[in-house]
Amino acid sequence: MEAVVLAGIARRILDELLKNPFRTIELRSAKNVLAVEEALKNSLNVFLTYDPFEDISVGTEGLLAELLDVKELNTRIPWEESDEREITVCRTKVKLLGLGRVVEIERRNSVTVVKVREMLPHEMQIG
């Protein structure tokens, strides 16, 4: 199965998604926001992993999910707290499809697309 990578997802979010297959995730990373846009444009699922983008490799494990709803919000922040005045936050509702392991990686512009082998729970190494 082909999926777009959402990397650097907090371990507690991955654990919550395993307990309840529906979850809204708030993404602030520009790479993850672009990845969601790519997934929507190409009707792809997403692959959520705790690992950062630069550590994604063949064998990386994570969760496969379907995008159900996406809302992009522009939020103003006080100028004293940042050099930027606005950030884009993407609230993404996902549905867990299963567990997976990366078998092939392709970089498309600034988005990482992977081929994932679906796995059974006893095959997973992440805890």
Side-chain angles (χ1 to χ4, degrees):
M1 172 185 294
E2 193 171 74
V4 175
V5 174
L6 298 181
I9 304 300
R11 180 113 24 220
R12 72 175 175 78
I13 299 300
L14 298 174
D15 290 342
E16 288 174 18
L17 195 53
L18 285 169
K19 292 176 188 169
N20 179 1
F22 296 92
R23 179 80 164 76
T24 299
I25 302 168
E26 192 168 280
L27 303 168
R28 294 171 186 255
S29 163
K31 281 188 168 186
N32 281 337
V33 171
L34 289 171
V36 167
E37 290 174 355
E38 179 76 15
L40 281 174
K41 185 172 78 174
N42 295 308
S43 301
L44 294 172
N45 291 320
V46 291
F47 179 75
L48 297 91
T49 183
Y50 176 77
D51 295 335
F53 279 101
E54 46 279 347
D55 289 348
I56 305 290
S57 61
V58 171
T60 297
E61 296 177 346
L63 305 179
L64 284 164
E66 175 185 354
L67 293 176
L68 298 177
D69 188 31
V70 177
K71 291 183 180 145
E72 226 176 79
L73 310 166
N74 291 317
T75 306
R76 292 196 181 276
I77 50 179
W79 66 270
E80 299 89 9
E81 295 178 18
S82 175
D83 292 337
E84 295 179 297
R85 296 188 53 208
E86 210 173 67
I87 59 169
T88 299
V89 176
C90 185
R91 293 183 51 82
T92 305
K93 184 171 186 175
V94 297
K95 175 186 171 191
L96 179 66
L97 297 176
L99 311 170
R101 179 177 287 144
V102 173
V103 294
E104 191 177 311
I105 302 169
E106 180 184 342
R107 311 260 188 231
R108 296 181 189 165
N109 298 325
S110 58
V111 177
T112 303
V113 178
V114 292
K115 285 196 177 152
V116 178
R117 181 178 74 80
E118 293 186 62
M119 299 170 49
L120 297 172
H122 70 276
E123 293 179 280
M124 292 296 284
Q125 299 295 322
I126 64 173

